[in-house]
Amino acid sequence: ITDRMSIDNMTNPQNSNFVCEFPGCTASPFATQYLLNSHANVHSSARPHYCSVKGCPRAEGGKGFKRKNEMIRHGLVHDSPGYVCPFCPDREHKYPRPDNLQRHVRVHHVDKDKDDPLLRGVLAQRPDGPNRGRRRRG
């Protein structure tokens, strides 16, 4: 008999009974009701999470976000020092997030290595936001 409160059951659920019933959805069943509810947002046109920066097109009255984590990630756009492509001769390509710069390099500078010292130097920049210096959970 499995202890219902065991750590293993909490981290590795035995079954995933929470199924999305949206017509045509092919998502795998979810382990918890919370995860199913979170998934349901992809089928909705509601965008309940808004950027707090006044004048941002994603602020209240604007486009918003379906998921809170997307809104939080978007906040980097406003806090970013800007990641400038070290390989573009005119240095006009500036990106708000490091992953945006990495995608640009992958697409437009296929001859460059992701571990190139110039690229690593630019990616090493860190914005001075409220969460900088905090330890990550995990």
Side-chain angles (χ1 to χ4, degrees), residues 74-130:
H74 162 80
L76 293 173
V77 168
H78 301 296
D79 296 335
S80 176
Y83 297 87
V84 178
C85 179
F87 307 124
C88 288
D90 53 11
R91 304 270 192 207
E92 72 178 31
H93 294 110
K94 183 177 178 181
Y95 300 91
R97 297 194 334 246
D99 60 306
N100 297 146
L101 173 59
Q102 288 171 315
R103 182 178 47 239
H104 164 81
V105 171
R106 247 189 346 266
V107 171
H108 297 285
H109 304 287
V110 293
D111 60 320
K112 301 298 182 185
D113 184 62
K114 65 181 176 88
D115 295 321
D116 185 288
L118 287 175
L119 179 60
R120 291 284 121 210
V122 172
L123 293 173
Q125 297 178 89
R126 294 285 183 244
D128 294 326

Side-chain angles (χ1 to χ4, degrees), residues 39-88:
H39 162 77
N41 288 334
V42 303
H43 301 301
S44 167
S45 61
R47 292 175 174 266
H49 305 284
Y50 295 98
C51 178
S52 61
V53 175
K54 201 171 196 147
C56 177
R58 298 284 192 140
E60 189 91 36
K63 191 173 178 184
F65 297 91
K66 288 185 176 191
R67 294 181 174 171
K68 186 176 181 180
N69 69 309
E70 293 170 339
M71 178 199 61
I72 292 168
R73 184 183 66 186
H74 162 80
L76 293 173
V77 168
H78 301 296
D79 296 335
S80 176
Y83 297 87
V84 178
C85 179
F87 307 124
C88 288

Side-chain angles (χ1 to χ4, degrees), residues 15-20 25-33 35-36 39:
N15 51 17
S16 298
N17 295 333
F18 301 92
V19 177
C20 180
C25 182
T26 59
S28 299
F30 297 89
T32 66
Q33 183 68 50
L35 292 173
L36 174 59
H39 162 77

Side-chain angles (χ1 to χ4, degrees), residues 4-16:
R4 288 176 31 156
M5 296 303 291
S6 76
I7 297 287
D8 190 51
N9 261 355
M10 289 169 54
T11 57
N12 298 310
Q14 298 302 310
N15 51 17
S16 298

